[in-house]
Amino acid sequence: MASAGIVYLVGAGPGDLGLVTFRARELIASADVLVYDYLVHPDLVSWCASECEVVYVGKKAGFHSVPQAEIEALLVDRAKAGKRVVRLKGGDPYVFGRGGEEARALAADGIRFEVVPGVTAALAAGAYAGIPLTHRNTSSSLVLVTGHEDPNKHELQVDWPALGALRNTTLAIYMGMSRLADIMAGLQKGGLAADTPAAVVQWASLGRQRSVTATVGTLVEAVAEAGLKAPSIIFVGDVVLHQETVDWFEHLSLFGRRIAITRTRGGNSGLREKLEHLGAEVVELPLINVVPDVHRESLIEIVSELGSYDWIVFTSANGVNIFFEQFAKAYDDVRALGLLRFACVGEATARAVRSRWLKVECQPEIATADALADALIATDSLDSAKVIVVTGNRNRETLVKRLEEEGRAIVDVLPLYRTEKLDLSENPAAHDFREKGADAILFASSSAVEAFTAQAKALALEDGAKRPLAGSIGPQTSDTMKQLGMPIAFEAKKPGLDDLVAALVARLAKD
Ligand code: SAH
């Protein structure tokens, strides 16, 4: 009997999350099993469901990757058990990704499979390093070729002199860094002039991208000097000459900078994207974990009478998300919210409300609990009004007290979640931060500063790591930083993410 299982061989693109296809994202979200390797952006893994089985088969420091036969056996086994398996591969699965072998193994076992292409590394390296891969006057063909050859294995040998004899061609060489000198010599043997332009692009499309431009004769030396290693694409051909005029990525204002940010809430602030769009390499430190922790009795009491309340107040996007999950369990019609008005502490929280087609009627200019109390009191609508304040385990007493005493509101507190300190010992982002540090670290709230300080030990920089300049989103956050003894290198002109990023760019430009 044919099983209902299926395997998707999916290209994950070259690194930048924006270059992943919609289809890939959809399949990751609906996978029962996700098998991925080195070069796949770790954030992709967070797109899968919490019950999805996640298997890493890539290289680990000091270890080899899982043997190919074992990976194939794993795919077959899970598919036979009726699972939807997503096999994620960097770039495109059929370009030097051994996707062909996996597809054959699946076909041999009678397992259903589909293939989803991805942006292969050479295309990304060309686009992000300013090297058009073909050009009307200089290059009319593009060769994707592997430089990795093991003479002890029965693999096809690449005929480098034959490739060196081609004219008007761009060569894009994958996995060639350890044999760079041999490859350049082989091409010249075939007649390729030593002054033919050549380039290497490492970590294409990511903030840590580096590239060098030289010639076939000088590339080895240039690469050694710049310290470039794998994963890199080597380009050979006249198209490399266009780099100076058409490069855009490496000219971005934060290109080459490592910026650490904190992730203290489930809500996505969009800060990462803003920094990446300016070319930065972003290290996102997850400091706390938000766990739904619903107080049953108050929930039942409040939710059953939702229509009788005037305001609901949210101080985090998590609160919004968990509230609506609970709401959906009790009602199947959004109109059960009645005439409830929404108040939110800041932009990320407000966005979570607006994404449900609900209007936020009160949001203070600065995202603090006190400013939120001020804004609510200023609406002059609180006298005898019934107000729900959704909270976590952080203390919201002053907010509640002020609404009751100054606004004369009737406040019910609805605790829905709690935050826990995350264990950072094995966390890859924390490891990366300890090892290399960063040019700057941005704090977008007092709670982020507190969470960071609470994790100071787990984030202690190793010798040689770069000590980051600390930036603050506004006066409140700066106060907390001062109280905790953290020197402030820059502060946003007006509290807000865009101004925080502007202050960062201005500060780094001085170095
Ligand atoms: N299937 C992948 C290639 C896997 S082979 C694809 O289609 O891109 C691994 C090689 O790909 C690396 O040695 C390097 O040559 C290249 N590579 C993958 N990601 C890269 C990146 N972001 N920048 C530069 N080269 C990359």
Side-chain angles (χ1 to χ4, degrees), residues 418-435:
R418 73 193 138 79
T419 45
E420 291 173 347
K421 214 163 118 178
L422 202 72
D423 177 8
L424 294 182
S425 49
E426 299 279 315
N427 183 278
H431 174 80
D432 189 37
F433 182 77
R434 287 190 295 262
E435 191 180 293

Side-chain angles (χ1 to χ4, degrees), residues 323-342:
F323 172 79
F324 279 100
E325 273 168 28
Q326 298 299 328
F327 174 80
K329 285 185 191 161
Y331 299 99
D332 62 359
D333 187 340
V334 74
R335 285 169 294 187
L337 290 169
L339 295 177
L340 204 53
R341 303 169 76 184
F342 287 81

Side-chain angles (χ1 to χ4, degrees), residues 41-43 46 260-269 271-272 283-290 422 427 429 442 448 451:
H41 196 297
D43 277 18
S46 67
I261 60 175
T262 63
R263 192 197 307 157
T264 54
R265 304 173 177 185
N268 173 5
S269 63
L271 181 57
R272 178 190 198 110
V283 187
E284 196 168 359
L285 299 168
L287 301 174
I288 58 172
N289 210 5
V290 175
L422 202 72
N427 183 278
L442 303 183

Side-chain angles (χ1 to χ4, degrees), residues 13-15 39 89-97 118-122 124-125 173-176 201-206 230-234:
L39 292 182
K89 290 166 167 294
D92 179 89
Y94 276 1
V95 178
F96 308 123
V119 175
T120 189
I173 306 164
Y174 289 66
M175 295 177 278
V201 185
Q202 183 183 14
W203 289 119
S205 84
L206 292 163
S232 292
I233 293 288
I234 304 158

